[in-house]
Amino acid sequence: MNKWPGLFKLATMPRSSIQRSCSRPIPGIASRPLIPVQHRSMATSTSKSNSKDNVSAGLYTAALLFGMLGLSYAAVPLYRLFCASTGYSGTVQTDRSKFAPDRLVPQAHAPRRIRVTFESNTSDALPWSFKPELRELFVVPGETALTFYKAKSKAKDDVVGIATYNVTPYRAGAYFNKIQCFCFEEQRLSPGEDVDMPVFFFIDPDFLDDPYMKDVTTITLGYTLFNANKAPHLAPVAPSQPAAMPSS
Amino acid sequence: MGFGRPSNTESTSGSPPLLGSFPLDHEGECKEFMKTYMQCLRDNKNNNGACRELSKAYLQCRMDKGLMDKDDMSNLGYADIMKPAKN
């Protein structure tokens, strides 16, 4: 019941909830929240605290933004470190222990020989004919094997080619180790020259212990030759004399 | 890049070879060794185990002619067919 109608602006709350919100009803005084007396100062302080809240929220957002930006820059070297140490997703592990002599032992307990087939592709911009000398080779894990690709230049002048390779099935790629081949470095052929390009490789003995490799009977090595002249930032290496060999 | 695949699946391959690249045999100095090796493989139904002596001979030719870094054959996986006298 409203005993002081002019003095207080009553909150339009249902009486039952008002009574619940008061801890102890004081007899004789309307048990209603006392909003009006402090109404104006609360309004000012509300707007002040609102703007303070806004500023702090803005600062938090800005901090978050710069934090995320910094993280995305830091992610590049961090990810590189992570990949190099764990070899995740095919990162090159420059680990010479993979090629230690005790790993290059033909595994006599292998159930069967693995068939390695060879494919070749040439870019249209490269006027060479490029074919594998051998279509397939049967090897045992740990046994080093040698195969050849034949390339013949049909151009009128010197052409520099560069090769990349891939191994299928992808999951077997981790076990396919090349000791020496002709990929990733520029190879120069004079007009009409034909040359044999060897590939010396082996399949890691751990291949036999991997359950995912149980059904792998054929591994395909594919080489693709590109024209290095079309890549302007590549400079062809000087023609190698027999005495001067590139060492890597 | 595939997400959710087991980590043993390679998404990219193309790691460089251990000893780098073979210099091209422009003069065909070791062509004879290559021909003998190829013939052996054709006779043996492309079985690598049968022709390892000849592939070793080819690599030896390359080393002799300066087309390959000299290395001990046992480091190249031929320890099992090295003659006992060489050890």
Side-chain angles (χ1 to χ4, degrees):
Chain A
M1 206 158 124
N2 190 357
K3 275 193 162 177
W4 294 275
L7 264 163
F8 301 108
K9 263 196 239 165
L10 289 168
T12 50
M13 286 201 300
R15 197 192 169 98
S16 55
S17 70
I18 294 168
Q19 285 186 324
R20 270 198 298 270
S21 64
C22 294
S23 52
R24 231 185 64 171
I26 303 166
I29 297 178
S31 50
R32 290 201 164 99
L34 298 175
I35 300 174
V37 176
Q38 305 134 325
H39 182 69
R40 221 172 270 155
S41 53
M42 263 175 76
T44 350
S45 64
T46 314
S47 74
K48 257 200 214 145
S49 66
N50 270 353
S51 68
K52 251 201 229 167
D53 283 341
N54 283 347
V55 167
S56 65
L59 284 175
Y60 276 122
T61 314
L64 191 69
L65 185 77
F66 284 115
M68 293 308 252
L69 203 67
L71 261 181
S72 60
Y73 275 106
V76 174
L78 282 176
Y79 189 68
R80 208 174 286 151
L81 274 173
F82 166 70
C83 283
S85 58
T86 61
Y88 183 67
S89 181
T91 313
V92 172
Q93 292 181 288
T94 45
D95 182 13
R96 290 186 76 102
S97 66
K98 265 203 304 191
F99 296 87
D102 57 339
R103 299 194 69 83
L104 299 177
V105 175
Q107 303 293 296
H109 64 273
R112 58 174 183 278
R113 286 195 165 252
I114 299 166
R115 184 166 162 254
V116 182
T117 57
F118 303 100
E119 302 283 329
S120 64
N121 290 296
T122 348
S123 146
D124 290 338
L126 189 70
W128 290 1
S129 85
F130 178 60
K131 303 191 323 283
E133 289 261 15
L134 270 178
R135 274 287 158 195
E136 61 181 8
L137 194 60
F138 292 89
V139 299
V140 146
E143 194 177 61
T144 49
L146 183 68
T147 183
F148 292 91
Y149 279 78
K150 190 189 254 319
K152 184 173 170 62
S153 172
K154 298 184 288 211
K156 300 280 184 299
D157 50 2
D158 283 3
V159 175
V160 180
I162 188 164
T164 65
Y165 81 98
N166 59 0
V167 177
T168 38
Y170 285 140
R171 59 187 190 277
Y175 294 100
F176 192 90
N177 300 323
K178 294 196 321 302
I179 299 175
Q180 201 161 359
C181 66
F182 56 90
C183 39
F184 305 128
E185 285 187 25
E186 296 89 349
Q187 313 286 351
R188 177 191 288 270
L189 281 187
S190 339
E193 182 181 0
D194 84 282
V195 78
D196 305 304
M197 300 158 124
V199 180
F200 192 45
F201 66 92
F202 71 101
I203 296 178
D204 199 292
D206 287 345
F207 183 92
L208 295 168
D209 300 327
D210 191 337
Y212 284 107
M213 302 294 147
K214 277 223 171 73
D215 58 335
V216 175
T217 51
T218 308
I219 295 180
T220 304
L221 175 70
Y223 272 94
T224 311
L225 264 185
F226 297 98
N227 191 335
N229 290 343
K230 300 291 179 194
H233 58 277
L234 286 177
V237 295
S240 57
Q241 273 100 32
M245 287 175 297
S247 56
S248 72
Chain B
M1 283 295 186
F3 297 106
R5 287 193 287 165
S7 58
N8 65 354
T9 54
E10 290 259 314
S11 59
T12 53
S13 49
S15 54
L18 174 74
L19 299 179
S21 183
F22 277 118
L24 285 187
D25 185 9
H26 290 282
E27 281 96 33
E29 287 157 338
C30 294
K31 210 172 167 86
E32 285 311 311
F33 290 90
M34 187 208 78
K35 283 198 176 4
T36 338
Y37 174 61
M38 286 288 143
Q39 191 56 46
C40 165
L41 280 177
R42 275 186 213 113
D43 296 338
N44 284 289
K45 293 202 276 257
N46 293 332
N47 184 342
N48 185 45
C51 300
R52 302 199 67 225
E53 282 285 347
L54 291 170
S55 62
K56 178 160 158 269
Y58 175 81
L59 293 176
Q60 191 61 51
C61 164
R62 273 209 163 230
M63 284 183 201
D64 296 336
K65 299 281 193 311
L67 292 168
M68 188 174 169
D69 285 340
K70 285 206 185 344
D71 199 358
D72 196 24
M73 279 300 177
S74 53
N75 290 340
L76 297 174
Y78 290 108
D80 54 321
I81 56 170
M82 302 271 277
K83 297 184 189 32
K86 281 196 177 163
N87 282 355

